[in-house]
Amino acid sequence: MAGRPAPRRSPQYAWLITNPLAFFALLVVVAYWVKEPGWFHSWLGGLIAFVFLTIANFSVFTVVVHRQGVTVVVTEIPLVLSLFFLPPVMVILVSALATMAVLLYQRLDPIKLCFNVAKAAAATSAAVLVIEVLPPITDAGPGTWGTLFAAVLASAVLSLLALGGVISILQGRRSAQETLSTGTAMLITTAANTVVGLIFLIVLNASPWAAVLLAALIAALFVVLRSFAEFFRQHRTLADVYELTLAVRERGAGDGLEDVLLDRVRGLMRSEYATLWLPAQGRHPEVLLTARVDDAGLLDISPTPAEVRDRAIATQHAVGVGDRFGESEDLRLLAREAGLKDLLIVPLRSGQVTIGTLEVVNRLGSQLTYRAADVRVMETVAAHVAVAVENSRLVDRLRYDAYHDRLTSLPNRRRLTDALAESVKVRAPGEVVAVLAFDVDGLRDVNESMGHAAGDKLLTEVAKRLLAIAGPGSLVGRIGGDEFVVTMRSESTEATVQLATQMREQLRGPMVVGTLTLDVDTAVGVAVQPDHGDDPEALLRRAELAANAAKLVPYGVQLFHPALESRAVRRLGLAGELRKALEDGELEVYFQPKVTIGDRHLVGVECLARWNHPAHGEVAPEDFIAVAEHTGQLSRLTEVVLTEGLRRCRQWQDADRPLAIAVNLSARTLLDPRFPNSVHELLKHHHVAAEQVTFEISEPGMLGDIERTLPVLYQLRDLGVRLSVDDFGTGASSLSYLRQLPVHEVKIDDSFVQGMATDSGDLAIVRAVISLAREFRLTVVAEGVESELTLDLLEEMGCEIGQGYLFSRPLPYERLEAWFSAQTEPESTPTGEVRRLRAVI
C-alpha cells in the first residue's frame, strides 16, 4: 500500500529563487563595474582563477538528501586567492563561468543550470560585499585573514540558504529542514578549506615561485582526498549492507519483509526507486512492490521496463543500464524512453532457479550514476534477500502443513480445533455450532485391492464432494485416515441431523477410482454446541464417537448421547483389566442350547463368553470383544472359549449325552495362518471329534477380506470341523460368495427372525434364505426364536435348527445341567439316545 507522497511542485518554481539571486549578483557586478571600469585588465589572473575554480568544482563530495545531491567542494581555496588578487567583478564572473562550465559538462537541465550559476554568482557577490564593509585589505596579515574568512563564510551561508529555499519550494518544508541540517558540517568544511586557502595566500605572498610547490601539494592532497573518500564510501556501504542483512534476517521469516527491505535498499543504493518482484509460485501470488523516495509506504508499480527484467531472468545475471555499462547499450534506449537515467536489476536465485528480482532505478544526484561496484553490492544484498524469501516461504509452508492435510489440502484437526474455539465464542441466540464427522466405509478394501494410490484418490474425491455439498459458511477438514469433519452454524440440533442425513445421501453417489466406479458409503456422527459441550476437542471426539455408533444403525447418522462416551471410556479402562481377567480365569463360558425344530431334539450348544467385572458388574460382550480386538487379545479370548467348550463336550460325551459345540470366530482370527494348527492340537488334547465343533463366522467380517480368509477356511474344513455363516443376510454380497465358501450351514440373523411374525419383508427374507440353503444343501439355523408363532413359521418353511429365548437363555454350566434335568428327557433314536425337550415354555 502506498503512503501519501510529499508535496511536489514543478521545477519551474525554482525561478522564484533563481531570479532574485541573479538580480542580486547583477546589481553587485554593475556597481563594481562602474567603480572599477578597468577590471578586465586582470584577464590573465582571471583565466588562472577560472582554471583552478573549474578543477575545484570537479572535486566533489556529495551528500544525498531525498532527491537532491548536496555537494561539498574545495572551491574556497581558489576563492580566497581570487578575492585577494583579483577585482570584484572578475571574481564574480570567473566563479559563475567556472560553475557553468562544470554543469554544462555534466549536461544538467537548464533550470538547475541557471539556479546553480545564479547561486554561485550571488554567493561570490555576498563575499565581495562583506570585504567592502570590513576594513580594507592591505597585506596578508591577520586582519586580512579575518576579512577573507568572513567573506567566504558569508558566501557559504548564502549558498546553503538558497539551496534550502529552492528545496522548500519544490519538495516541502521537511526536505528543506533536512537539507539545512547538513549546514553545520558544510560550514565546518568551508572553514577548513578557507584556512588552507589563507595558508596558500601567505606562501604565495612571500614568493610567487611557491605556486609550483603548492601545485604539487594540491595534486597530492587531491589524490589522498579521493582515496579517503573512496575508503569512506566503501566503509559506509559495508556498514549499510551489514545493517540491512541484520534487518532482513530479523524480519525475513515473518511479515513485513518488503517494508524493511526496500526502503533500506533504496537508501543504501541512493536511488529514487527500489523494487522487489516475485512471480507467482504455487500458493504464493505475484509480489510487485516499490519504495520511492519521499513516499512513506510502498507502491504496487515498478518503473522498470519489462524487457530489462526479462534479460536479467534469462541470463540469471545482474543487468546494469547506464553510462558505465557499455554491454547493455541496446537497453539504454528503452530506459530513456521510460524516463529513466540508469537502473540495476539483480536476479534472486535459489539454487539454479530464479525466484524474483531486486531492482534499483535512478541514482540520486545529477552527476552520479551506478558503477560496477554497485552491482557487487546489489548481488550481495540479493543473496541475503533470496535466502530470506526462501526461509519465509519455508516457514509459511511449515505453518500451512501444520494446519492442513497434505493429501487433500483440507484443514486438519489442529486447524478445526482452533476454528471451533473461535466459533463457540460468538453464537447467536437459538443457534448451535454443529460438528459433523464423516467416516468413509470401504477404504481399507480399496487400499488392499487396488493400492494406496487408489485409496488416496478416493479420499481426494470424497474431499472434493464434501466441499461441493457443504454450505458456504462451513469448514471442511480431514482429521484421520478415512475421517472427515464439517463444522457449521445451524438453527437447531434437529436441523443439523436433517442436514447430516441429506449430506450423507449426496455423498453416496458413485465415485470413479481408476477404472472402477465405486459406491462409497459413510457413517455420520453429529455433535452440537452447547448441547454436547463447549470444548472444541470434546466436540470433535464426541462427533467421532457418534460416527462409530452410526455404522451400526440402518440410516447411518447418529446424534451423540452421553452413553456413547461412557461406553468408550469404559472400554478404555477395560483394556488393561481384560488381560488379567484372561490370565486369572475370571471370564466364564455360557452355553445356549440349539434344538431341532421338527422333533425338538437337543443337538448342541453355542459357547458364549461372559465377564462379570468385580467393579463394573456384568460387561457387555460387544464391549470386551471390541477391547480384545483392539488390544491384540482376541486370539487368547477365542482360545479360552474353545478350550472350555471342548472340555465340556468331552464331559458330555463321557456321560453318554453327546452335544456339539459352536464357537464364534472373528474375521481377524481367520487371518492368522496358525489358527488351524492350534485347533487341531486342542481337538487331540481333549479327544473330541472334529465334526462335533462348529465355527460361526460373521458374514460381514468374512466377506470384508474373503481372499485372505479363504485359505484358513479350507484348512479348517479339511480338519473336519463344521463352518457356519453367522448373521447371514446382513452382508452385501451373500449370494455371490456363498458358493465359494467351504461352509456347512447358514445362521439367519436374529433381526430377521424376530420380525418375521409381524413384518412381511423379514418373512420373505427368511423364506428366501431357507430356500437358498436347500439349493446349496446347507443346514439352516435360526437364532432369535422367541415365540411359538415364530417357531411354527420356521417349521412350516423347513428350517432345521432353532436357537433363542423360547428354548433357553445362555446359561453357565451348572445351570445348564439343571436345565437338562428339568427341560429335557432321554429319547431313543436309530442313531442312539438323545435329549428331547419336554415342553417349550
Side-chain angles (χ1 to χ4, degrees):
M1 180 179 296
R4 178 176 296 178
R8 295 191 184 93
R9 291 180 177 176
S10 169
Q12 296 294 334
Y13 281 89
W15 292 107
L16 295 175
I17 302 295
T18 303
N19 289 338
L21 291 175
F23 183 71
F24 170 70
L26 182 61
L27 286 178
V28 173
V29 168
V30 171
Y32 277 97
W33 195 323
V34 172
K35 184 179 179 181
E36 297 182 39
W39 61 269
F40 50 85
H41 296 295
S42 302
W43 63 269
L44 181 60
L47 180 62
I48 296 174
F50 172 78
V51 172
F52 281 102
L53 279 170
T54 302
I55 295 174
N57 275 302
F58 273 110
S59 304
V60 177
F61 179 76
T62 303
V63 178
V64 178
V65 181
H66 288 277
R67 290 180 172 272
Q68 300 299 326
V70 180
T71 58
V72 179
V73 295
V74 294
T75 53
E76 291 85 359
I77 297 175
L79 180 61
V80 168
L81 300 176
S82 298
L83 290 173
F84 183 84
F85 290 109
L86 298 177
V89 175
M90 181 65 73
V91 175
I92 297 172
L93 293 179
V94 165
S95 176
L97 291 174
T99 302
M100 181 182 296
V102 172
L103 297 181
L104 286 174
Y105 175 80
Q106 294 175 351
R107 291 182 289 188
L108 210 63
D109 63 82
I111 295 177
K112 290 184 178 181
L113 173 66
C114 293
F115 167 76
N116 282 280
V117 171
K119 176 169 69 70
T124 308
S125 299
V128 169
L129 291 178
V130 169
I131 294 175
E132 183 69 25
V133 300
L134 291 177
I137 296 175
T138 57
D139 54 19
T144 301
W145 302 350
T147 299
L148 292 177
F149 190 91
V152 175
L153 191 62
S155 172
V157 170
L158 182 61
S159 296
L160 183 62
L161 292 176
L163 184 62
V166 76
I167 291 179
S168 176
I169 291 174
L170 298 181
Q171 300 183 26
R173 182 179 300 176
R174 180 181 176 183
S175 298
Q177 290 174 346
E178 293 184 10
T179 301
L180 294 176
S181 66
T182 64
T184 302
M186 292 180 60
L187 292 177
I188 293 175
T189 303
T190 298
N193 291 337
T194 303
V195 170
V196 174
L198 291 174
I199 294 174
F200 282 16
L201 173 63
I202 295 172
V203 173
L204 289 174
N205 191 57
S207 173
W209 290 103
V212 177
L213 298 176
L214 290 176
L217 178 62
I218 291 173
L221 288 175
F222 179 78
V223 173
V224 171
L225 289 175
R226 286 289 298 268
S227 300
F228 176 77
E230 182 65 19
F231 171 79
F232 177 80
R233 186 191 68 81
Q234 293 177 354
H235 174 76
R236 186 61 197 167
T237 299
L238 182 61
D240 290 344
V241 170
Y242 176 73
E243 292 178 0
L244 188 149
T245 54
L246 283 181
V248 168
R249 185 175 63 185
E250 292 175 359
R251 299 289 295 274
D255 298 330
L257 170 63
E258 298 85 358
D259 293 322
V260 72
L261 167 69
L262 292 176
D263 191 59
R264 287 176 178 268
V265 170
R266 189 204 57 74
L268 170 67
M269 302 306 297
R270 296 175 174 83
S271 304
E272 182 179 358
Y273 298 95
T275 299
L276 176 67
W277 175 74
L278 303 173
Q281 181 180 9
R283 297 183 305 101
H284 303 285
E286 180 185 23
V287 174
L288 180 63
L289 293 173
T290 298
R292 184 171 64 181
V293 67
D294 295 332
D295 284 347
L298 299 181
L299 306 171
D300 56 358
I301 59 173
S302 172
T304 306
E307 294 84 350
V308 183
R309 182 181 295 138
D310 293 341
R311 173 78 62 86
I313 296 173
T315 61
Q316 293 191 344
H317 288 89
V319 173
V321 179
D323 295 339
R324 302 289 185 94
F325 303 102
E327 68 277 5
S328 59
E329 186 69 28
D330 57 321
L331 299 176
R332 193 177 303 180
L333 180 60
L334 291 174
R336 289 177 180 173
E337 290 177 353
L340 306 179
K341 181 181 69 172
D342 51 5
L343 64 139
L344 290 179
I345 300 181
V346 180
L348 305 178
R349 299 179 60 187
S350 176
Q352 300 299 319
V353 179
T354 300
I355 62 173
T357 59
L358 186 63
E359 309 162 7
V360 289
V361 176
N362 287 352
R363 184 71 177 265
L364 294 178
S366 57
Q367 70 275 28
L368 299 179
T369 186
Y370 297 120
R371 304 178 300 172
D374 296 318
V375 175
R376 292 191 293 271
V377 173
M378 281 288 288
E379 288 177 337
T380 301
V381 174
H384 290 281
V385 173
V387 172
V389 170
E390 286 295 278
N391 288 343
S392 177
R393 289 182 172 179
L394 177 60
V395 170
D396 179 71
R397 181 65 190 179
L398 292 175
R399 185 182 295 116
Y400 180 86
D401 290 344
Y403 287 95
H404 290 82
D405 172 57
R406 184 177 295 274
L407 175 63
T408 62
S409 297
L410 294 177
N412 59 12
R413 180 183 290 271
R414 180 183 296 181
R415 176 69 181 90
L416 287 168
T417 302
D418 291 347
L420 276 174
E422 294 298 323
S423 297
V424 299
K425 291 179 181 178
V426 181
R427 183 173 56 86
E431 184 183 63
V432 298
V433 177
V435 181
L436 280 59
F438 291 78
D439 194 305
V440 181
D441 189 24
L443 177 64
R444 178 181 174 184
D445 296 337
V446 174
N447 284 336
E448 293 184 352
S449 60
M450 303 177 63
H452 286 275
D456 290 345
K457 185 174 182 182
L458 173 63
L459 291 174
T460 304
E461 290 298 322
V462 171
K464 290 179 180 178
R465 189 166 294 184
L466 270 177
L467 286 171
I469 64 179
S474 303
L475 179 64
V476 181
R478 181 183 176 214
I479 61 173
D482 56 357
E483 296 178 338
F484 294 83
V485 166
V486 179
T487 66
M488 65 185 70
R489 298 183 182 274
S490 182
E491 299 176 359
S492 63
T493 301
E494 294 75 15
T496 302
V497 174
Q498 184 178 1
L499 179 61
T501 304
Q502 295 172 358
M503 292 179 66
R504 177 177 178 270
E505 290 301 318
Q506 296 175 23
L507 197 62
R508 290 182 66 184
M511 294 186 184
V512 178
V513 179
T515 59
L516 298 180
T517 300
L518 305 177
D519 287 325
V520 179
D521 200 3
T522 57
V524 187
V526 180
V528 296
Q529 184 267 347
D531 295 354
H532 303 140
D534 297 322
D535 182 63
E537 286 285 357
L539 287 172
L540 283 174
R541 184 178 66 253
R542 289 163 181 169
E544 292 180 78
L545 288 173
N548 289 331
K551 299 176 183 179
L552 305 177
V553 297
Y555 44 88
V557 177
Q558 176 66 58
L559 179 66
F560 172 80
H561 56 82
L564 296 176
E565 190 167 45
S566 61
R567 171 172 288 187
V569 173
R570 187 180 183 190
R571 286 183 177 181
L572 184 63
L574 292 175
E577 299 176 358
L578 178 60
R579 186 181 304 276
K580 184 177 182 299
L582 289 171
E583 293 174 354
D584 297 345
E586 295 179 7
L587 266 68
E588 293 186 78
V589 177
Y590 280 38
F591 306 91
Q592 186 173 30
K594 301 171 71 174
V595 179
T596 57
I597 294 177
D599 49 19
R600 307 301 196 266
H601 288 167
L602 180 64
V603 294
V605 293
E606 181 178 1
C607 303
L608 301 168
R610 293 293 185 265
W611 185 13
N612 192 9
H613 193 278
H616 300 297
E618 186 174 343
V619 182
E622 58 267 24
D623 286 342
F624 67 78
I625 290 175
V627 170
E629 287 183 341
H630 286 87
T631 58
Q633 302 179 69
L634 187 61
S635 59
R636 175 59 180 158
L637 177 60
T638 302
E639 181 184 354
V640 168
V641 175
L642 180 57
T643 300
E644 179 65 13
L646 291 174
R647 188 168 72 89
R648 298 304 182 184
C649 183
R650 180 71 259 174
Q651 290 178 358
W652 291 323
Q653 187 173 338
D654 292 341
D656 293 329
R657 49 179 181 180
L659 290 176
I661 62 169
V663 178
N664 288 296
L665 289 186
S666 168
R668 185 169 297 184
T669 303
L670 295 176
L671 298 177
D672 184 1
R674 300 169 298 178
F675 180 69
N677 292 332
S678 299
V679 173
H680 180 61
E681 293 298 326
L682 288 173
L683 289 173
K684 288 172 55 179
H685 178 74
H686 292 282
H687 304 288
V688 174
E691 59 269 14
Q692 289 292 98
V693 178
T694 299
F695 287 122
E696 298 180 359
I697 305 104
S698 173
E699 180 198 13
M702 180 167 50
L703 296 182
D705 206 347
I706 190 170
E707 296 299 330
R708 297 174 62 188
T709 58
L710 270 178
V712 176
L713 288 174
Y714 277 107
Q715 291 181 52
L716 291 173
R717 186 199 63 177
D718 294 341
L719 284 177
V721 301
R722 292 172 56 81
L723 299 176
S724 174
V725 180
D726 199 7
D727 302 326
F728 190 79
T730 60
S733 307
S734 302
L735 299 181
S736 60
Y737 283 104
L738 191 57
R739 184 183 296 275
Q740 186 179 356
L741 298 173
V743 297
H744 303 85
E745 71 176 34
V746 293
K747 196 171 186 179
I748 306 174
D749 188 66
D750 58 359
S751 62
F752 302 118
V753 175
Q754 292 173 358
M756 61 183 290
T758 57
D759 189 302
S760 59
D762 290 342
L763 179 63
I765 291 175
V766 173
R767 191 185 304 275
V769 170
I770 294 174
S771 299
L772 181 65
R774 285 177 179 172
E775 292 295 328
F776 287 102
R777 297 180 181 180
L778 301 175
T779 302
V780 180
V781 179
E783 60 178 343
V785 180
E786 297 183 356
S787 67
E788 285 284 356
L789 178 57
T790 300
L791 186 63
D792 293 340
L793 289 172
L794 290 171
E795 184 176 5
E796 177 186 340
M797 286 185 262
C799 183
E800 297 159 279
I801 300 174
Q803 176 184 346
Y805 286 2
L806 180 64
F807 307 121
S808 174
R809 293 174 177 272
L811 301 170
Y813 177 74
E814 291 78 11
R815 290 180 59 188
L816 181 67
E817 289 292 322
W819 183 85
F820 283 158
S821 300
Q823 300 297 330
T824 65
E825 59 186 7
E827 179 179 306
S828 298
T829 65
T831 59
E833 186 178 283
V834 297
R835 306 296 294 188
R836 182 182 186 277
L837 264 65
R838 289 197 177 103
V840 178
I841 57 174

